[in-house]
Amino acid sequence: VFQHVEAEVQEFKDAMNTNQDHLEEEFGDLLFTLVQTARHLNIDSEKALRRTNKKVEDRWTRMRQLAQTRKLN
């Protein structure tokens, strides 16, 4: 399974030297492969993405609060 992910990552990297349409196509292929890998591992990919979004949002909130506290904004 991970060999397929690695192959898709390489195809995505190779597409960075081409046009935007091809890059987007390869990015889509990579996302699809990652979601399928998650499915095989019984991971809810939507839940995992929501969890990561929340983690990043919380981190930015803490950084903004710290910046306001230190008057860095």
Side-chain angles (χ1 to χ4, degrees), residues 1-8 33-34 36-41:
V1 172
F2 289 106
Q3 289 176 343
H4 193 75
V5 171
E6 291 169 2
E8 290 297 339
T33 301
L34 289 170
Q36 290 304 310
T37 300
R39 186 177 63 83
H40 286 290
L41 297 171

Side-chain angles (χ1 to χ4, degrees), residues 12-25:
F12 178 65
K13 286 179 180 180
D14 293 343
M16 288 186 194
N17 299 318
T18 65
N19 61 55
Q20 186 69 22
D21 188 56
H22 187 231
L23 183 61
E24 288 175 4
E25 178 182 342

Side-chain angles (χ1 to χ4, degrees), residues 2 4-5 8 15-16 18 23 26-27 34 37 46-47 55 57 60 63-64 70-71:
F2 289 106
H4 193 75
V5 171
E8 290 297 339
M16 288 186 194
T18 65
L23 183 61
E26 292 301 335
F27 184 71
L34 289 170
T37 300
E46 288 184 46
K47 181 180 177 182
K55 180 173 56 177
E57 184 179 320
W60 278 102
M63 287 174 44
R64 279 193 302 268
R70 294 181 180 181
K71 300 185 191 232

Side-chain angles (χ1 to χ4, degrees), residues 25-58:
E25 178 182 342
E26 292 301 335
F27 184 71
D29 289 351
L30 177 56
L31 283 175
F32 181 82
T33 301
L34 289 170
V35 169
Q36 290 304 310
T37 300
R39 186 177 63 83
H40 286 290
L41 297 171
N42 294 316
I43 294 170
D44 181 336
S45 56
E46 288 184 46
K47 181 180 177 182
L49 182 57
R50 282 192 299 273
R51 178 186 241 167
T52 295
N53 284 339
K54 173 112 176 71
K55 180 173 56 177
V56 171
E57 184 179 320
D58 290 347

